[in-house]
Amino acid sequence: TFTVPFAQSAYYNDEMMEKWKKSLQILLFFCKIGCFTFGGGWSIVAQMQQEFVEKRGWITEEELLDFTSVARSLPGIMIANTSLIFGYHMAGVPGALAAVVGITIPSVVIIALVTLVYDAFRSNPFVLRALTGVRAAVIPIILSAALRLRKGALKDWIGYALAAVAAVLSILGVNNIIIILFGVAAGLLISEAKERAMRKEGSGQ
């Protein structure tokens, strides 16, 4: 009579231990990229793609694209939203907290330290030159991540067409929210059209 409850308890404890172990790994990873990654949210997404898609295999490219798309559509900082969604997906609430703390704490500490010496940094020519080099080096990292992730988003000519339209709208200065809503509407309409076509083929019409 005590075997099943004990087994369930052991399984629950093992599951919780695995979540906390994974949460610690998430915390350490996001602390690392929070300290050493330049270029904003997209360069961090590139690091996530390398670490969690290619190296560890925790998520697929499609899942990372979904996390980023949802995070980009929500209010707040895109990379913080992405980190929270990823952490929750991997390890529940502990994972979400670990990801958010890991990505924000280094930035807060670094900004606080920079603020103390901002006047000296602002006029220092060596710092300005170094930042110019960093900004230039970040571009290939972002482009590399975009090229890797395109396989999950651009699967047929429809995906390429929607991406091209979104790119033109972005160049024209259309608000990002409108572009995202356009993508949502187009995705729903295209999916509905495909389902109708499949139903017609199945019915032999």
Side-chain angles (χ1 to χ4, degrees):
T1 57
F2 295 100
T3 303
V4 174
F6 177 78
Q8 290 177 342
S9 177
Y11 174 78
Y12 177 78
N13 290 334
D14 290 343
E15 186 179 19
M16 288 301 298
M17 286 296 296
E18 182 64 26
K19 283 186 176 181
W20 282 105
K21 180 180 177 182
K22 191 162 287 187
S23 297
L24 179 60
Q25 292 176 309
I26 292 171
L27 174 66
L28 294 176
F29 170 78
F30 279 105
C31 277
K32 180 182 73 175
I33 62 174
C35 289
F36 300 107
T37 302
F38 297 88
W42 291 112
S43 60
I44 294 176
V45 170
Q47 297 295 319
M48 292 177 65
Q49 194 272 342
Q50 292 178 356
E51 181 74 15
F52 299 125
V53 176
E54 294 183 356
K55 182 178 177 180
R56 298 181 185 270
W58 284 2
I59 57 175
T60 64
E61 290 183 349
E62 289 82 0
E63 287 175 324
L64 180 57
L65 279 171
D66 291 341
F67 298 160
T68 307
S69 300
V70 172
R72 192 74 177 85
S73 306
L74 296 174
I77 303 171
M78 182 270 284
I79 191 56
N81 294 342
T82 304
S83 303
L84 188 145
I85 296 170
F86 168 79
Y88 187 83
H89 173 78
M90 295 305 305
V93 175
L97 292 174
V100 173
V101 170
I103 200 65
T104 55
I105 290 299
S107 299
V108 171
V109 173
I110 293 171
I111 290 173
L113 294 175
V114 169
T115 302
L116 296 175
V117 292
Y118 176 72
D119 290 335
F121 268 63
R122 182 177 57 180
S123 57
N124 190 307
F126 296 102
V127 173
L128 294 177
R129 293 169 189 169
L131 291 177
T132 300
V134 167
R135 287 194 293 267
V138 162
I139 298 300
I141 296 174
I142 298 173
L143 291 176
S144 176
L147 290 174
R148 291 193 190 99
L149 293 174
R150 79 185 189 282
K151 297 178 182 178
L154 308 177
K155 297 182 178 180
D156 51 27
W157 67 269
I158 297 176
Y160 282 97
L162 291 176
V165 173
V168 171
L169 294 175
S170 180
I171 293 172
L172 293 175
V174 177
N175 189 285
N176 289 336
I177 296 176
I178 296 176
I179 297 175
I180 292 169
L181 291 176
F182 159 76
V184 170
L188 292 173
L189 292 173
I190 292 169
S191 297
E192 180 64 22
K194 287 183 177 180
E195 289 180 3
R196 288 182 180 179
M198 293 176 62
R199 286 197 295 266
K200 286 183 178 181
E201 290 179 1
S203 61
Q205 295 181 354

